[in-house]
Structures are given as C-alpha cells and as structure tokens.
Amino acid sequence: MAVTGGLTLLSLKRSDEPTVSCASVNSGGGKDYNILVVGESWASDGKLLPELPRAVSERLHGRGVKACSIGFAGRNSRLLYTELRDKYPTEKLYRLFDGKTPDTVVLINGVNDEIQHVGASAYVEYTKKLVEYFSDVDDVEIIAIPRVNERRFNPPNLYSAVKRSILSCFYDQCQKQVNDLYRVALWRDHPELNIIEYDDFIDRYEGNERRYTADGVHLTDENFHKYGAFIGGALSLEKHAGR
C-alpha cells in the first residue's frame, strides 16, 4: 500500500503556471543570438537575467543577445517534459524570439528529481526526452544537477514528507543524498549529451550555505544572478557564434 500510495502521489500534476522572463543585451539588427532556458524553479522569475545574456554578448564581442527563461516551479523532469509536450509546443515557445529557432537551449532540471526521489532511471529518461524535444536546435546544453541540501531538506508539508519518505526507499535504497547517483547515471547512459558542470560554480553545499536561501535548495537572489553570469560564460558558443 505504501508503494502504491507513493506512486500515486508521484503521478499528480501541478496546476500552477510557469513564469516567463526575457532580457536583451545590445539587441538590434535582427541578428541577435537567442537563448532559451527551460527548467524548474531555478529558471523562474528571471533570476538568471540579465547577467546570462550580458556574459554571452561579451564573449561574442558585443553581438546582440536575447535570453528568455521559462520556469516550472516544483516539477521533476517527467512533469516538466509532460507539461512542455501538452501545453508548450516549440512553435509557441519560439514566439519569444519572433518565431525563430533559438541558437541555444539550456536545460536546468534535476533538483526536484533528487529532492522528490523519483529514481535515477526516471531522471535519465526524461532528461533525454527533454533534449529530444528540442531536436531542431543545434545546441542543447544541460546543467548538471546543482548541489543542494538533500540530507537535511525539510519538506514544506506532510504530503511532501510522506511522498519523499516512500519514494526514497522505493527508488533510492532509503538514501537521502543521491545527487551523484543521478548525475553518474546520466553521464553513463548518455555520454553524448552536452553537460555543463555545476561544480565549476559551487562544488558542494556544505561550506557554501550562505549562498543559498534558508530552504537549502535555492540560491539567494545575488547568487542566482552570479549563476546567470556563470552559465553565460560556460555555454559552448564557438561553433555557433558565426551564424
């Protein structure tokens, strides 16, 4: 009954709408480099802007850059993919860039997978599906799951606590800290994917607590903006910048 209940809880969808934010730097002339960021709450509310497009523009010697982020708070990778597929066909997303296919898509997912303990196989499966969803984009890059306070995470309510307890044992052998387990599964099964290493920004949660909010799973506003600059500096632009 516990396992069945846990799987039922996992299948429930979120009803809250995603947030969309855009920022442009040195825009004009119809030759902007366009970046679409898709993810969970780490991609919400324009937290990465305008630092992300500013960093890319500097790397492209002042070229115009437009970046838009769409964030689905609380979604694990399966729910993120399902909601994109059901409600946000790519042609709708690309209207953010006047109908043009973006030059780069950045996927920020996985924090909710590890916090909710959906299992490494589900994280890998739906991360791959998210990449395939943007198969018309030449450059799709994935952020390795950020380091957060998994071990001492406090669920917001009893519902979340029960779900997390059930699924952590069903999928993750009752381990509370599974970041590396999920990361390694993705690298092992899909070495062809273009992954940006989050550890180059913050290599561990312990010792960096001041860079996170009290919940231990989100950066402070200041550090989110620094994170946007980090992503802008880490993207693989060389083979695409001349387009």
Side-chain angles (χ1 to χ4, degrees), residues 26-46:
N26 298 328
S27 182
K31 295 184 178 180
D32 286 358
Y33 191 94
N34 294 319
I35 302 169
L36 175 64
V37 180
V38 179
E40 24 80 314
S41 57
W42 282 54
S44 298
D45 303 319

Side-chain angles (χ1 to χ4, degrees), residues 9-206:
L9 291 171
L10 179 64
S11 67
L12 296 177
K13 293 185 177 181
R14 302 267 304 214
S15 59
D16 49 321
E17 291 298 314
T19 65
V20 179
S21 304
C22 295
S24 297
V25 175
N26 298 328
S27 182
K31 295 184 178 180
D32 286 358
Y33 191 94
N34 294 319
I35 302 169
L36 175 64
V37 180
V38 179
E40 24 80 314
S41 57
W42 282 54
S44 298
D45 303 319
K47 300 184 183 83
L48 308 174
L49 309 175
E51 287 79 7
L52 194 162
R54 183 179 298 151
V56 173
S57 180
E58 290 175 359
R59 292 178 62 195
L60 298 181
H61 310 291
R63 180 177 173 182
V65 176
K66 181 177 182 179
C68 292
S69 61
I70 178 168
F72 298 78
R75 276 69 156 184
N76 56 50
S77 296
R78 183 184 67 83
L79 293 180
L80 175 56
Y81 169 74
T82 301
E83 196 158 344
L84 280 172
R85 182 193 62 194
D86 293 348
K87 298 181 181 179
Y88 297 92
T90 53
E91 58 267 23
K92 180 177 180 179
L93 292 175
Y94 297 171
R95 290 175 194 162
L96 295 169
F97 308 103
D98 299 323
K100 297 177 182 178
T101 302
D103 297 284
T104 293
V105 169
V106 180
L107 298 175
I108 304 180
N109 64 302
V111 169
N112 287 307
D113 295 66
E114 65 177 342
I115 291 299
Q116 297 172 15
H117 291 281
V118 302
S121 61
Y123 165 66
V124 170
E125 176 184 357
Y126 285 98
T127 297
K128 178 62 171 174
K129 286 181 180 293
L130 285 165
V131 172
E132 292 171 343
Y133 191 74
F134 296 102
S135 59
D136 57 338
V137 178
D138 290 338
D139 181 34
V140 180
E141 308 196 28
I142 303 162
I143 308 291
I145 304 176
R147 302 295 186 184
V148 299
N149 186 11
E150 300 175 81
R151 190 179 299 278
R152 294 182 297 278
F153 171 69
N154 292 315
N157 51 51
L158 180 60
Y159 166 89
S160 296
V162 170
K163 178 178 73 171
R164 186 168 189 254
S165 178
I166 292 171
L167 298 187
S168 67
C169 290
F170 186 71
Y171 287 116
D172 295 328
Q173 297 78 50
C174 298
Q175 296 182 59
K176 297 302 182 184
Q177 198 157 332
V178 296
N179 185 292
D180 285 324
L181 178 68
Y182 285 31
R183 282 184 174 200
V184 169
L186 183 63
W187 294 332
R188 179 196 64 222
D189 292 354
H190 296 291
E192 77 282 2
L193 296 180
N194 192 354
I195 299 176
I196 295 174
E197 183 51 69
Y198 179 82
D199 287 6
D200 291 338
F201 181 64
I202 297 177
D203 62 352
R204 54 184 296 176
Y205 173 77
E206 292 77 12

